[in-house]
Amino acid sequence: MSSRPSSPPPVSELLFIQAFGGLGDAFACVVRPEGLPTPRLRLVSLDAARLLGIEPTPNNSAAAQNWAELFSGNRPPTGCDPICTVYAGHQFGNWAGQLGDGRAHLLGTVRAPDASQNGGHTHWEVQLKGAGRTPYSRHGDGRAVLRSSIREFLCSEAMWHLGIPTTRALCLVTSPLPVVRERMETAAVVTRLAPSFIRFGHFEHFAYTGQVTALRTLADWTISQLYPACAQTVNPALALLQEVVQRTAHLIAQWQCVGFIHGVMNTDNMSMLAWTLDYGPFAFMDGFDPDHTPNTTDRFGRYAWARQPSIARWNLLALAQALLPLIDDRQAAVDAVEAFDATFSRSMRGLLQRKLGLGEARPGDDDLVDRWLAAMAENRADWTLAFRLLAQLSANPGDPIPAALQALFATRPERMRAWIPDYRARLQANESTDAERRAAMNAINPRFVLRHHLAQHAIARAEAGDFSVTQELMEVLRHPYSEQPDRDIFAAAPPQDAVAPALSCSS
Ligand code: AMP
Ligand code: MG
């Protein structure tokens, strides 16, 4: 084994290879990013930098400038040319045809220094988002504004620290370059990391254009890179589908359980790795409303919280359809997708069981969970606070109910009051003490999530040139399950006068 260098190399020594680009012209084209004028490195995720084994803190202005030049797209990566990939997709249930990386450039693939630290991933793809127009930009400008880039940066890292699979955010580079949206804003580039950015839509593109040979190449590549065990099966494409179905079911259960609403679950935003991908008009639920969607362009609530599981299944059916020429067994493909429901339910039930501190499942638990969720919905109880505060309730029927918990259910307290004795009786059946249960619940119910009003405040300050709030927020979100008693303000529900999220696609 080679000995480890004493300090990680600077970013200028990062060596890229173009693995996906090697598949050929049908899959991607070489595109030089337009880059950014006067780029400035504003945010770095030290945790993400560690994945690449590069010097995590640009500790002087020359080093920071190196980061800014590379991760704005101004300076080409060493070792290969950046590429943009072609994909298609179903958007809001309709076939949208060819889409592709309209504002993303894949700089290349970097070897992970230590796969054991990386969940076994030996490579990371490094992708710029917002570095200018590409052949797939259609009518877009290839840009991402500072506001949406901060949201993607913060949420990627927050999700990771919550323990939810997600693309990572390495850094954020800003520029005075004006960008026209509903108002005049400025451009930024987020650098994202993932073992692969392959989407369901990549497969749909080749299936819908009848390119079966390319479809097979893409499936073989995906299997070899992400799911090598599938290659050993009699029907590798079917095994691939089954794997993606199972993982997506677990992912969506995790989203549901932290109250995360993606906002644009189009098939082009669904990752073959089943990692959270493309942070746009997402939100974490404040007051629990199952029909809530933060996406103002989603007028019928297609992508509302309660619909995410059925939409994921719908998207998986679209993937199955695209893979059918390779699977060559319609019924097996349908069966693979139908397995989603059972896996999702099992995963969701298991997580909710833990969120309520119920321990081993017993008859009647599902009903207890459902009644709790109904009481929450009836009161629009804050999703994050309700679970976190429930941990403070003792199992002893004679003890008072914590006032902060009661306050969440003040509008319609009856259902909650009727529920508590049953919940306490159920807790009595467990062997764990209140303290043990509390610790277990606090390890699965975060105290801190990226609430909309927190992101908005950080963005407002950043737009005025002060990134300290964003940095502090990032630090808080690195430890979402810790109490962090001096950070109460980051755990609070939005103030009464907070403006509800009004977010749209593609900002
Ligand atoms: P999204 O809704 O962000 O997932 O984007 C859907 C499609 O539109 C993808 O092909 C994106 O690359 C493309 N797109 C979104 N915003 C822009 C933009 N500002 N410029 C060019 N393409 C974009
Ligand atoms: Mg997208």
Side-chain angles (χ1 to χ4, degrees):
M1 227 176 98
S2 62
S3 63
R4 283 172 143 262
S6 52
S7 63
V11 71
S12 53
E13 288 177 24
L14 208 49
L15 246 189
F16 294 85
I17 55 163
Q18 201 47 272
F20 188 79
L23 294 185
D25 295 346
F27 300 87
C29 51
V30 171
V31 185
R32 202 193 156 112
E34 288 176 53
L36 289 174
T38 54
R40 184 154 171 202
L41 180 70
R42 291 292 202 162
L43 299 168
V44 175
S45 162
L46 306 186
D47 304 300
R50 227 166 270 132
L51 300 174
L52 302 185
I54 48 174
E55 186 184 50
T57 324
N59 52 10
N60 59 54
S61 59
Q65 203 49 38
N66 273 337
W67 278 65
E69 293 295 337
L70 180 62
F71 297 121
S72 60
N74 288 4
R75 203 188 67 222
T78 307
C80 66
D81 294 319
I83 60 166
C84 297
T85 72
V86 60
Y87 56 82
H90 281 86
Q91 299 187 320
F92 294 92
N94 302 309
W95 176 240
Q98 185 187 303
L99 301 165
D101 291 327
R103 52 172 171 170
H105 294 77
L106 190 61
L107 285 187
T109 302
V110 172
R111 251 184 88 84
D114 183 356
S116 67
Q117 303 282 307
N118 285 344
H121 299 295
T122 55
H123 291 83
W124 290 94
E125 287 187 347
V126 182
Q127 190 190 63
L128 307 183
K129 182 168 176 178
R133 286 180 55 81
T134 82
Y136 309 114
S137 296
R138 297 173 295 151
H139 301 297
D141 56 9
R143 295 301 180 186
V145 298
L146 177 60
R147 165 174 55 94
S148 64
S149 303
I150 289 178
R151 283 168 51 82
E152 170 135 24
F153 181 92
L154 285 175
C155 201
S156 309
E157 293 305 279
M159 290 289 265
W160 184 265
H161 291 294
L162 284 165
I164 300 177
T166 173
T167 60
R168 303 296 300 269
L170 175 66
C171 63
L172 178 131
V173 176
T174 64
S175 165
L177 181 75
V179 176
V180 184
R181 294 292 183 262
E182 283 103 28
R183 60 186 167 98
M184 196 62 112
E185 302 187 49
T186 57
V189 171
V190 172
T191 298
R192 307 194 288 193
L193 309 178
S196 164
F197 287 93
I198 297 287
R199 304 148 188 267
F200 292 9
H202 279 95
F203 287 89
E204 290 182 285
H205 169 71
F206 295 106
Y208 277 75
T209 51
Q211 302 181 68
V212 178
T213 306
L215 185 68
R216 190 176 302 282
T217 303
L218 185 64
D220 289 347
W221 191 87
T222 306
I223 288 170
S224 73
Q225 297 294 306
L226 308 180
Y227 302 110
C230 294
Q232 310 306 322
T233 63
V234 284
N235 191 334
L238 177 61
L240 172 66
L241 176 65
Q242 288 166 332
E243 193 71 38
V244 178
V245 168
Q246 295 299 311
R247 287 176 187 236
T248 303
H250 289 299
L251 176 73
I252 305 298
Q254 287 181 285
W255 284 3
Q256 299 303 92
C257 283
V258 291
F260 177 78
I261 309 154
H262 182 283
V264 210
M265 286 178 68
N266 294 330
T267 56
D268 52 298
N269 291 336
M270 299 289 292
S271 138
M272 287 299 285
L273 260 175
W275 286 20
T276 315
L277 172 67
D278 276 10
Y279 292 89
F282 68 85
F284 284 88
M285 188 85 74
D286 292 309
F288 179 36
D289 170 8
D291 296 327
H292 180 62
T293 173
N295 186 347
T296 49
T297 39
D298 183 9
R299 280 187 304 149
F300 302 108
R302 178 179 171 86
Y303 298 141
W305 179 86
R307 300 235 173 81
Q308 294 189 127
S310 61
I311 290 293
R313 190 182 191 280
W314 192 95
N315 289 342
L316 287 159
L317 214 46
L319 175 64
Q321 181 72 40
L323 287 170
L324 210 50
L326 308 182
I327 295 175
D328 202 24
D329 181 341
R330 179 171 292 274
Q331 193 53 50
V334 169
D335 291 346
V337 176
E338 285 190 345
F340 176 91
D341 290 347
T343 304
F344 169 76
S345 294
R346 207 175 338 105
S347 191
M348 180 84 178
R349 287 286 167 195
L351 290 171
L352 284 167
Q353 183 87 13
R354 288 174 57 206
K355 283 176 80 69
L356 263 71
L358 298 178
E360 287 292 305
R362 289 173 182 246
D365 282 356
D366 288 354
D367 181 53
L368 202 61
V369 169
D370 291 345
R371 285 168 57 206
W372 161 254
L373 293 177
M376 279 178 63
E378 205 174 51
N379 285 274
R380 296 279 188 267
D382 185 89
W383 179 273
T384 307
L385 286 177
F387 283 99
R388 190 80 183 186
L389 288 170
L390 186 62
Q392 291 180 13
L393 183 80
S394 71
N396 182 357
D399 289 347
I401 302 169
L405 180 62
Q406 286 201 58
L408 293 182
F409 294 84
T411 327
R412 301 275 308 272
E414 306 80 15
R415 198 191 291 259
M416 158 76 163
R417 287 210 187 112
W419 180 82
I420 290 226
D422 295 344
Y423 177 58
R424 280 180 151 155
R426 172 64 183 80
L427 295 181
Q428 303 276 349
N430 285 353
E431 288 188 354
S432 59
T433 63
D434 280 344
E436 286 164 347
R437 175 176 45 84
R438 191 166 300 145
M441 288 173 75
N442 285 350
I444 191 171
N445 295 315
R447 183 160 192 248
F448 303 99
V449 293
L450 182 58
R451 292 176 184 273
H452 177 72
H453 76 279
L454 297 176
Q456 286 306 102
H457 177 55
I459 288 165
R461 294 287 290 274
E463 286 182 335
D466 172 13
F467 281 74
S468 63
V469 179
T470 308
Q471 260 150 353
E472 187 180 8
L473 186 52
M474 181 165 83
E475 194 49 41
V476 172
L477 296 170
R478 287 182 74 215
H479 308 284
Y481 300 103
S482 303
E483 204 55 31
Q484 304 190 57
D486 52 335
R487 300 263 178 59
D488 285 351
I489 193 156
F490 292 94
Q496 292 293 338
D497 59 353
V499 182
L503 304 161
S504 57
C505 299
S506 303
S507 55

